[in-house]
Amino acid sequence: MRSIRSTKHLGLIGMLLIAVAFAGLQLTAVTGRASPDTKNYLSYALSLSGESRAEAGRRAIDHSCASQQHGPLDSIPWTSRKVAGESEEQCVRRLNDSVAHWSRNGNTSGMIAPFANHRFMAIFEARPGYPLFLVPFVTVFGAMWGLWLAGLVVALAGSVCVLLTLRCAGASRRAGLAGQALYLALPTGTVAMNPLSDGLSLALGTAVVLGCTLLCLDRPRAGAALVVGGLALMFPVRYSQALLLAAALTAGFALRWAWLRRRRRPSQRTGQAAVLCGALAVAVYAGAHLLSWPTGQDSAQDLLTDHYRRPDLPNPWPEFLVQERIFWTAWLRRQATYPVLPVLLALSAWALLRRRSAVLPIALAAASAGILNQAGHPNLDQLLGHRLIVFVWLLPVLAVPLLLDREPTPSTGGEGAQRTPLKRRRDRDPAASRAAGNGSSGRPQDPPPAVTAGATVTLWTYLAGSSGSLWLCSSCRPSAWFRPSVGGVGPAPGNVPGRAWICSTRSRA
């Protein structure tokens, strides 16, 4: 028992050390992360905290213009910030002029200051979840430290969900900590720290992935609560990503259920997970429609009309497909130049082929949601960024650490590295194994119920033969009960014709 506790402490210490190291690195860039969209979320949060719309806009402008003077961030990986082309005073003057212009042209309502036309600002008005999350941070710590602390909480929460997902799926402590470290070191950690809604939706997405993993491991209550709760919270944060994630998980579970059924191994849990995710996808779509939030066509018009500064196209889809081709061609060219993601995806494919884990098909479905999200907005300005496609990085984060575990072998019953933590604890603690029972695991069965606690049972079996000598089996395990050898039914240890086998065992409490 003491060894089990020390093992748990080692896992907790490793998790905390990774978190502290990540926080220390992020302290080198407390500011300098603001993007053009940050001022929209900050203005929204300040309005929710009680500031007037004008004052919230002024504070958001001051923070945004001060932050951009600190780019690029050399100490933070996976950033695409450029050197500011204007001074802080010029930036403040330009944004204040924009607010005055759009205020005169009818943008006088809403929670966000009028940084652009009303139709463009409606996209951010439909994302109240992230500003609401920011309210306590910016109220207590101010704009700069509040945004930084909020990002740190989001990043660490997502990394812990990754760790728990791998451990629940049967990965070792080493693999779980590797997954946490990968989540924080790859673009997932950088996106989580950025003051945008993408990081919070990513953290909630990892909670949904954890819930789906629990569903597949026959823990329906906890799994369903995490899936429903995660998608419900993601809906006001970034409803388009919630819809795509739910749809991708539905398709993934449905395909897996069909594949298992074709192999005559139907899984009721997989079918139920597909139904649950499908129902949630319908609910997200219906909720966005009832609230009259912007749709996919609005997003296409936003891209093709330069944020609605030009007239809408009567049929945007042909031009949109042209933009898709241009973007993905440039994206593939960049991946060939900087092949970090292709290498990690190749390792993930190797893990999919060589490891059997409940989390792998779920991670694949979540990654496809990232591809779909990027395909919905093929903007070349996002080519160097990772925030729209960030869910694709969940596949290597969850798959590559599994390669650190030992590959399953026939001698281990096919479980190998994918034993659950409960099974590993039973292996280390014989008392826990005996208390849990082994009925369906393929191990020997419990002794007959007639055996009572603390009793010593001696089974005598007389084998046909001329000799009356006896064979004493003193090394048999408590569950190694005698099987007679008469008629060729299973050879007994030390089986010699004409002898009997005495199995003396002490029963369990």
Side-chain angles (χ1 to χ4, degrees):
M1 186 62 68
R2 183 176 299 175
S3 63
I4 296 176
R5 290 179 178 175
S6 63
T7 301
K8 290 182 179 179
H9 291 161
L10 285 176
L12 180 60
I13 291 172
M15 181 187 71
L16 292 177
L17 287 176
I18 292 174
V20 169
F22 178 77
L25 175 64
Q26 302 307 314
L27 278 172
T28 63
V30 176
T31 188
R33 304 174 189 268
S35 73
D37 292 341
T38 299
K39 63 181 180 297
N40 300 324
Y41 294 112
L42 180 58
S43 174
Y44 202 156
L46 293 172
S47 295
L48 290 174
S49 66
E51 298 279 357
S52 66
R53 191 171 184 237
E55 178 62 19
R58 185 192 63 79
R59 290 183 58 186
I61 289 174
D62 290 342
H63 172 80
S64 179
C65 293
S67 178
Q68 76 174 15
Q69 302 303 313
H70 295 273
L73 305 176
D74 297 329
S75 60
I76 304 300
W78 311 106
T79 57
S80 58
R81 290 291 310 279
K82 300 178 181 179
V83 178
E86 58 184 355
S87 66
E88 183 175 350
E89 293 76 12
Q90 291 173 332
C91 174
V92 171
R93 188 182 308 110
R94 174 177 57 83
L95 292 178
N96 282 329
D97 291 344
S98 178
V99 169
H101 170 77
W102 291 112
S103 296
R104 291 192 302 269
N105 285 271
N107 190 351
T108 57
S109 62
M111 301 293 292
I112 306 176
F115 300 115
N117 60 78
H118 186 274
R119 193 175 174 188
F120 178 70
M121 300 310 298
I123 297 175
F124 299 93
E125 295 278 358
R127 300 172 183 173
Y130 180 62
L132 189 62
F133 172 77
L134 291 178
V135 167
F137 294 96
V138 297
T139 301
V140 176
F141 301 102
M144 183 181 71
W145 282 101
L147 290 175
W148 184 87
L149 286 172
L152 185 65
V153 169
V154 166
L156 294 181
S159 71
V160 171
C161 285
V162 168
L163 171 62
L164 293 176
T165 300
L166 289 170
R167 294 291 283 152
C168 289
S172 65
R173 181 179 67 251
R174 173 181 55 195
L177 293 175
Q180 179 191 11
L182 273 178
Y183 181 88
L184 295 175
L186 291 177
T188 43
T190 300
V191 170
M193 285 295 303
N194 289 338
L196 296 169
S197 62
D198 308 272
L200 184 55
S201 66
L202 177 63
L204 293 171
T206 59
V208 173
V209 170
L210 173 58
C212 290
T213 304
L214 294 177
L215 284 176
C216 292
L217 296 176
D218 203 15
R219 297 186 62 182
R221 292 185 179 179
L226 282 171
V227 173
V228 174
L231 287 175
L233 291 174
M234 197 189 300
F235 174 72
V237 174
R238 200 175 181 91
Y239 64 93
S240 58
Q241 185 65 79
L243 176 61
L244 294 174
L245 179 60
L249 290 171
T250 301
F253 280 126
L255 289 174
R256 181 166 177 79
W257 178 83
W259 181 75
L260 291 173
R261 185 181 182 187
R262 184 176 182 181
R263 299 193 63 179
R264 301 184 183 278
R265 292 189 302 164
S267 174
Q268 184 179 6
R269 296 191 300 269
T270 304
Q272 292 172 346
V275 172
L276 175 62
C277 292
L280 291 171
V282 173
V284 170
Y285 179 81
H289 179 73
L290 290 175
L291 293 171
S292 300
W293 284 352
T295 62
Q297 183 162 352
D298 293 316
S299 179
Q301 295 285 5
D302 169 54
L303 173 66
L304 300 176
T305 61
D306 191 19
H307 305 312
Y308 307 111
R309 291 179 182 140
R310 296 192 297 267
D312 284 4
L313 300 178
N315 183 14
W317 301 117
E319 180 64 24
F320 186 82
L321 293 177
V322 171
Q323 293 296 321
E324 290 278 8
R325 179 181 58 80
I326 295 173
F327 174 84
W328 291 110
T329 301
W331 186 84
L332 291 173
R333 190 181 301 115
R334 178 167 177 78
Q335 299 309 312
T337 306
Y338 303 96
V340 178
L341 181 59
V343 169
L344 291 176
L345 291 180
L347 291 174
S348 303
W350 179 254
L352 285 167
L353 294 174
R354 303 293 294 179
R355 296 292 186 265
R356 296 181 60 186
S357 175
V359 74
L360 289 177
I362 300 170
L364 185 61
S368 66
I371 298 291
L372 292 174
N373 190 44
Q374 181 66 77
H377 203 77
N379 189 349
L380 285 175
D381 291 339
Q382 298 295 330
L383 186 62
L384 301 180
H386 306 277
R387 65 183 188 88
L388 294 181
I389 202 173
V390 68
F391 269 78
V392 79
W393 293 88
L394 286 181
L395 180 56
V397 164
L398 292 169
V400 172
L402 297 178
L403 296 175
L404 298 177
D405 287 339
R406 187 178 58 191
E407 185 176 357
T409 60
S411 62
T412 60
E415 291 183 6
Q418 298 308 317
R419 295 178 300 164
T420 63
L422 178 60
K423 290 182 179 179
R424 287 195 295 271
R425 189 172 74 247
R426 291 175 184 173
D427 291 344
R428 291 193 299 264
D429 187 1
S433 178
R434 291 196 297 269
N438 305 309
S440 61
S441 64
R443 298 181 180 179
Q445 302 297 312
D446 290 343
V451 179
T452 58
T456 301
V457 179
T458 304
L459 298 180
W460 297 80
T461 302
Y462 180 75
L463 301 180
S466 58
S467 174
S469 59
L470 301 176
W471 178 268
L472 178 62
C473 177
S474 59
S475 62
C476 62
R477 294 175 297 171
S479 56
W481 295 93
F482 171 73
R483 292 185 299 172
S485 61
V486 178
V489 181
N495 184 24
V496 179
R499 295 182 179 181
W501 174 33
I502 302 175
C503 180
S504 178
T505 61
R506 187 171 299 276
S507 70
R508 303 193 291 268

